[in-house]
Amino acid sequence: MTSLNDLPIRDDLRGREPYGAPQLDVPVALNTNENPYPPSDRLVKALAEAVADVAGGLNRYPDRDAVALREDLAAFLNGDTPGAGLTARQVWAANGSNEILLQILQAFGGPGRGALGFEPSYSMHPIITRVSGTRWIDAHRDEDFGLDPGRAVAAVEEHRPDVVFLTSPNNPTGTALPLEAIEAVLDAAPGMVVVDEAYAEFRRAGTPSALTLLPGRPRLIVTRTMSKAFAMAGTRLGYLAADPAVVDALQLVRLPYHLSAVTQAVARTALAHEADLLSTVGMLRRERDDLVAWLRAEGFEVADSDANFVLFGRFPDRERVWRALLGKGVLIRQVGPPEWLRVSVGTPEEMAAFRNAIKESL
């Protein structure tokens, strides 16, 4: 039987493992940071009607530049961050934020160039970086998973990366960055600075978005997704806000007609039902804060979280704890620092099952 290494695969891909969280059929799945609340019956009906409307034209290519969708995304971001003043020319969309990240690296990274990130952070950043032929540079976060501006600037000045990844709120720790740290990196970075805000809608009150820094900063990119707060993980729609010149650069590398007519219709319908979909965000924030308080009362170390998940520890053998929880029908994630585990915030019933399982497992 032929193995992967028998093929003339790129040398830099040999021995690597593909990305993937366990996909197991369990009663309580709390490992991929999905919104646990499915679309309402009203939205399901609207989605079916939207798909039916475009179905008759599927013999034709979709709008190559997704202009109407980008207009809707700009309107959403302007409502999310008053004063942002974004237009469709400043917004770009793709199949999930991972494709957005890949396009950024195709345009601004590549062979002979480097991208820097502060780990522990989103595990796809180094994977996509290397897949694009870009050198990955690991600069670590602080012990509390924050990012001291001075230390961050020192790492940027030492390595002079072409792309810097900042994740806020950070995955897997949940930590949000102060704008001062982002501004300091922006001032020091010679290339592009990407602020990954996949979990931005879950941030605590008073935590600003990097969108407020966009005016006058053409090397800043802020990425978002509809997979988390919007409960549209199955849609695969990621997007960014940046200077129009950045959008022009990404159009040089994007594949033709990369967003299907169905994806565009579903995403636009979801945005039209924004209030319905985002109505669960407040509940998930409260559930998260209650979980943090409970875990700390039980004696665990817990990272402050502005996301819809919580990193907690420490475990001399986290594999044993993870398997014990799985044996009770609760699936969480082994990710990040070796002694820590991450649990997504679910429904009250799912969180009650998690609490019972972790107490019994320990």
Side-chain angles (χ1 to χ4, degrees):
M1 181 175 177
T2 301
S3 73
L4 183 150
N5 287 326
D6 294 325
L7 301 175
I9 192 172
R10 281 168 30 191
D11 289 339
D12 61 315
L13 296 180
R14 293 185 185 278
R16 298 200 177 278
E17 296 289 332
Y19 172 86
Q23 296 187 98
L24 304 175
D25 186 12
V26 294
V28 181
L30 300 171
N31 69 322
T32 52
N33 303 338
E34 298 155 324
N35 187 320
Y37 296 100
S40 66
D41 291 342
R42 180 175 60 178
L43 178 54
V44 169
K45 181 180 178 182
L47 290 168
E49 291 172 352
V51 173
D53 286 343
V54 301
L58 290 180
N59 59 311
R60 303 293 185 184
Y61 287 114
D63 176 3
R64 182 174 55 232
D65 297 327
V67 173
L69 171 59
R70 289 160 60 197
E71 289 173 348
D72 292 350
L73 288 167
F76 166 71
L77 290 175
N78 288 334
D80 180 69
T81 305
L86 296 167
T87 68
R89 282 280 292 117
Q90 295 170 272
V91 176
W92 185 244
N95 291 284
S97 58
N98 288 326
E99 186 178 40
I100 288 285
L101 298 174
L102 177 60
Q103 291 176 349
I104 291 170
L105 286 160
Q106 287 175 318
F108 300 105
R113 296 191 170 199
L116 180 147
F118 297 89
E119 296 187 288
S121 193
Y122 183 36
S123 58
M124 280 303 296
H125 288 164
I127 292 174
I128 297 176
T129 295
R130 293 175 178 127
V131 166
S132 71
T134 310
R135 179 171 58 97
W136 175 252
I137 305 161
D138 177 12
H140 296 288
R141 282 181 169 248
D142 301 336
E143 285 295 318
D144 63 356
F145 306 127
L147 191 59
D148 174 72
R151 208 169 64 78
V153 166
V156 169
E157 290 178 341
E158 177 186 355
H159 296 286
R160 308 295 292 169
D162 299 279
V163 179
V164 176
F165 287 108
L166 299 173
T167 313
S168 181
N170 185 49
N171 178 14
T173 67
T175 319
L177 289 177
L179 290 185
E180 294 77 15
I182 297 173
E183 286 182 294
V185 170
L186 269 168
D187 291 341
M192 306 302 294
V193 176
V194 180
V195 182
D196 188 332
E197 289 192 344
Y199 301 92
E201 291 86 359
F202 296 107
R203 63 192 189 276
R204 287 172 288 184
T207 305
S209 165
L211 291 171
T212 60
L213 301 176
L214 276 173
R217 290 184 168 92
R219 291 183 294 101
L220 172 63
I221 301 172
V222 181
T223 66
R224 293 281 187 97
T225 183
M226 294 186 71
S227 294
K228 307 304 181 182
F230 269 92
M232 286 279 120
T235 303
R236 306 308 300 130
L237 198 290
Y239 59 104
L240 63 76
D243 189 271
V246 173
V247 176
D248 292 342
L250 297 185
Q251 287 180 320
L252 298 175
V253 299
R254 63 103 166 92
L255 295 175
Y257 310 106
H258 69 296
L259 278 179
S260 76
V262 172
T263 297
Q264 293 183 45
V266 168
R268 293 194 68 202
T269 303
L271 288 164
H273 290 76
E274 165 197 338
D276 185 5
L277 284 166
L278 296 183
S279 65
T280 62
V281 169
M283 293 187 291
L284 291 169
R285 283 176 179 154
R286 290 189 292 273
E287 199 68 52
R288 171 199 65 204
D289 294 341
D290 289 346
L291 177 61
V292 168
W294 182 85
L295 286 168
R296 286 175 174 164
E298 292 293 314
F300 296 102
E301 289 187 49
V302 185
D304 290 334
S305 178
D306 278 277
N308 67 331
F309 55 82
V310 174
L311 189 75
F312 68 106
R314 304 189 177 195
F315 304 102
D317 185 355
R318 72 173 179 179
E319 169 82 10
R320 185 194 68 79
V321 178
W322 180 84
R323 290 196 175 279
L325 289 170
L326 184 60
K328 298 181 184 302
V330 177
L331 177 62
I332 64 172
R333 188 77 182 271
Q334 292 190 79
V335 67
E339 296 180 322
W340 298 73
L341 290 166
R342 190 193 71 193
V343 57
S344 305
V345 177
T347 64
E349 295 77 16
E350 289 172 330
M351 301 321 296
F354 165 75
R355 288 185 176 94
N356 290 336
I358 194 71
K359 290 186 75 171
E360 292 173 5
S361 297
L362 297 176

